[in-house]
């Protein structure tokens, strides 16, 4: 086939793979696996443009791929014979600009590598999530990643100052201005953030950096119920204002599974309650005693009954132990057996009512189903994962009904059925069902405008068959 | 004409004005004034949709308008016979949600009114700019306003959680979810921010609120030159981290005009230098001694020669006096006579070289031309305004050449010729000249996708005649 030969000639033997493509074609959750025409691994923006021009001319769909850590199958093809465009070899990180608090990186740079390099300048790139050892900047931008620090520092769309993007027909848009303020027309950089590789291929980005914290304080708190949790969270945001870098919650059922299934963990409190929150403060200013401030706030919360129990980490070991409880939550549930994951958000004020309502509604669908809501209290983002009733190996026929109930209820509560993981291929049908025709039409119009031939990651965000309706 | 009668019937006598339309049809800088078919003043989203449906059916262009404070003629029609759609009567502010730190408002709510209402809940909506007494939320969103607090809190696109928008053909998109995290497809809310009324009419918005500061510290500093200014700014951002809410600079020529032309101002320092910076810290946490922290940082800066002179405001009167110097800067120059305004941004690290280069280049175009760069040091946004040489009443034939030189140079320095005021009607030609064909084509494709008949604010962002190319 001519395209294959052209790509091989353009990219060379290391740049065009047609064998052993399994790790590229299969997503993290193993939802999809279709043999591609091949895997393109360009080394420059010009090569990316060349790949797109050739594929465009041949009418062959292309799926851009970063670290392939999507939880919605958004970075693998939905059918055989497509081109996978891996940005992994484009991983250069330019010199940090300490005066402008920015750094320009190629799309294939791994998040943890960016962390490491900017930290040598006493700066941070404040995006943290479980997959940071393999997730790449381009994929994080394409999916508008959120993570545990989004309340303070924002999502990827808030951390990208400038972008370079290759269009579906192989033109290069240089929007790589490292600026907070650039109102010369539509905010294209914001549009490409979260477009999941369906509008263009991100090749480079200017990222926003922040001063590194010089001190931290971390506490784990046990709270009577979710209603109290919401009030506690709002109070902490008021009293400790700009210092809160994380406000992560989990629940008793998740903690119980975690402590049963994962060894070497330490639960530092004496009381067990229905809900827990990990609060972390940090500051880049010297001379601020965060631990005292946190202890004082918690003392007040204890006196007014907002918390039942709590501990402030006395050192980094204790801090790490607290974070492990939160971070290992998915692992604790995975080891329990079958599960179904959901990534939703609801307006923070309604979080407690939402969880209560879900306990009742999901119980009707599958009596005994075990709920494990945990996530980001500050922004209402809940990873609302489910396990089958105790003693049952799976959900029987109820998986779809459980998910649909959760998704529809999140939407009805003014929230979102897709908070930070995106739609990928897994959730496009739900989007058709749960979002308004007006919204879907706007999105289809944008897709049609920027990728009229539907060649870039077809089937992601909009249905593959007919995104034009 | 049928449209006129239909709109009169839909909106009633207070909702459809055909006389005394002067204040609606003429922009703030009096660059444009074309008699409209009439001014529609709907009272509800449904009425806005009705206006758009009728205008769409009749093929008559519509210009949405908020407080009509655009500095680029973006909110008045570019030709006679269009409909002006004023959102002024839609100014309701819903109850503040203190647990979710958000409030939902109609597009016509005046910024200062929003400030006042949320402050009663010890919260702030951190958008501050000169026109806040008349600028409306819808217009601020449409222009993606920036202002003096953008370094800390972001621009409007960062402060809008959810949006309701009426499309050019009169459909209502309800994206009013008050969420930080909503990755269910393209980030439409971000796309409408900064679209200057050309893609849809913003009718309601869910805004992000922050805890109100409980203390502040403000200082005015005199700095030898702009290179030192840049280093000082970066150092303050590192040392005082999350507390900096404003970092505003101005220059000697502006100060000199200001003190000569505006009475009742107080310059609190003894030294005069080439550059000045107003730094303000604020915190919503109790028990933080910002004044001491600021004094300590300034003591260190004085010792290392980063500042020549400086004073920390001892009370609110002194603080207000310092802010007056910055805020009255445009007035000082206006009273001097003819002027030409520019709103540009450059990467912060290059700010000094840029100003030096402009001094040399503009002097070649018009010897003696007086430069008055001032603005936002943290984000590199410079209001680079010019006055004619001393003794000359105007710029002769050089105005366009001066502007073009500044704009082109900002772009060449990796910056933007349009930082926070947008393009409006004034800058679309510059955009054609200064931005790449790829970028203009992407914008034209987005416009064509969402407003295929080019009926919504034609001539803004893209040229009126032929936005489709």
């Amino acid at each position: 086939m001519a395209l294959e030969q052209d790509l091989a000639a353009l990219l060379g033997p290391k740049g065009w793979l047609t064998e052993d493509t399994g790790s590229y074609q299969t997503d993290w959750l193993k939802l999809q696996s279709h043999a591609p025409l091949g895997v393109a691994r360009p080394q420059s923006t010009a090569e990316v443009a060349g790949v797109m021009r050739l594929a465009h001319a041949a009418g062959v769909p292309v799926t851009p791929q970063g670290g392939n850590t999507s939880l919605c199958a958004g970075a693998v093809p939905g059918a055989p014979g497509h081109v996978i465009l891996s940005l992994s070899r484009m991983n250069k990180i330019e010199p940090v600009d300490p005066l402008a608090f920015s750094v320009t990186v190629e799309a294939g740079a791994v998040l943890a590598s960016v962390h490491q390099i900017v930290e040598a300048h006493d700066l941070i790139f404040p995006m943290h999530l479980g997959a940071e050892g393999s997730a790449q900047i381009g994929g994080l931008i394409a999916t508008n990643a959120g993570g545990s620090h989004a309340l303070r520092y924002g999502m990827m769309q808030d951390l990208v100052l400038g972008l370079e993007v290759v269009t579906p027909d192989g033109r290069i848009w240089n929007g790589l201005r490292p600026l907070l303020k650039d109102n010369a027309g539509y905010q294209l950089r914001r549009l490409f953030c979260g477009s999941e590789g369906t509008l263009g291929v991100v090749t480079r980005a200017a990222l926003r950096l922040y001063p590194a914290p010089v001190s931290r304080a971390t506490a784990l708190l046990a709270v009577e119920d979710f209603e109290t949790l919401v009030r506690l969270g709002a109070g902490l945001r008021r009293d400790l204002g700009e210092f809160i870098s994380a406000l992560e919650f989990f629940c008793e059922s998740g903690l119980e599974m975690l402590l049963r299934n994962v060894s070497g963990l330490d639960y530092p409190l004496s009381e067990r309650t229905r809900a827990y929150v990990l609060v972390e403060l940090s500051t880049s200013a010297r001379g601020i005693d965060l631990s005292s401030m946190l202890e004082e706030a918690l003392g007040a919360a204890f006196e007014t009954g907002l918390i039942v129990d709590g501990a402030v980490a006395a050192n980094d070991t204790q801090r790490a132990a607290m974070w492990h409880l939160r971070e290992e939550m998915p692992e604790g549930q995975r080891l329990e057996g079958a599960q179904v994951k959901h990534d939703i958000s609801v307006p923070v004020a309604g979080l407690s009512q939402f969880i209560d309502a879900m306990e009742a509604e999901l119980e009707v669908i599958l009596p005994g189903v075990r709920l494990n809501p945990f996530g980001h209290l500050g922004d209402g983002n809940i990873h609302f994962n489910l396990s089958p009733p105790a003693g049952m190996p799976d959900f029987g026929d109820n998986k779809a009904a459980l998910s649909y109930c959760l998704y529809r209820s999140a939407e009805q509560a003014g929230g979102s059925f897709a908070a930070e993981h995106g739609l990928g291929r897994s959730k496009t049908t739900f989007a058709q069902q749960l979002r308004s025709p007006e919204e879907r039409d706007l999105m289809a119009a944008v897709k049609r405008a920027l990728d009229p031939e539907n060649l870039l990651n077809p089937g992601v965000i909009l249905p593959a068959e007919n995104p034009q309706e």
Side-chain angles (χ1 to χ4, degrees), chain A residues 135-219:
Chain A
Q136 296 171 11
I137 293 297
L140 293 161
I141 291 171
T143 54
N144 190 27
S148 54
H149 288 46
L151 175 65
R152 178 156 174 182
Y153 298 104
M155 304 181 77
M156 279 304 284
Q157 62 189 346
D158 306 299
L159 297 172
V160 167
L161 298 173
L163 272 187
E164 180 185 77
V165 173
V166 173
T167 61
D169 56 354
R171 298 171 80 194
I172 300 168
W173 171 54
N174 183 341
L176 211 48
R177 297 170 282 270
L179 304 173
L180 279 182
K181 291 181 174 172
D182 179 20
N183 275 351
Y186 304 132
Q187 298 292 301
L188 297 174
R189 55 184 173 165
R190 302 297 183 117
L191 178 60
F192 285 113
C193 285
S195 64
E196 302 192 39
T198 66
L199 302 180
V201 184
V202 171
T203 46
R204 285 195 292 168
L207 304 177
R208 183 173 186 180
L209 306 177
Y210 284 83
V214 295
S215 65
R216 280 179 220 277
T218 310

Side-chain angles (χ1 to χ4, degrees), chain A residues 260-339:
Chain A
R260 183 169 61 236
N261 296 328
V262 178
S263 61
L265 292 174
D266 180 34
Y267 176 72
L269 308 182
S270 41
E271 301 284 337
R272 295 281 282 266
T273 53
R274 205 171 157 222
Y276 304 89
V277 61
L278 185 157
V279 53
E280 185 159 284
L281 312 183
S282 69
T283 178
S284 56
R286 291 180 194 284
I288 309 247
D289 186 351
L290 291 177
S291 293
S292 296
M293 291 175 66
L294 188 54
E295 272 159 17
E296 194 178 319
L298 300 188
F302 190 77
E303 277 181 23
T304 55
L306 282 171
I307 61 176
V308 173
D309 197 358
V312 176
N315 51 46
D316 282 346
T317 310
Q318 290 186 4
R319 183 196 327 285
M322 289 177 182
W323 271 105
H324 270 145
L325 293 175
R326 164 64 184 86
E327 284 167 347
E328 294 296 312
M329 201 53 60
E331 184 64 5
Q333 187 162 22
R334 191 185 68 80
L335 293 170
E336 186 81 3
Q339 60 167 323

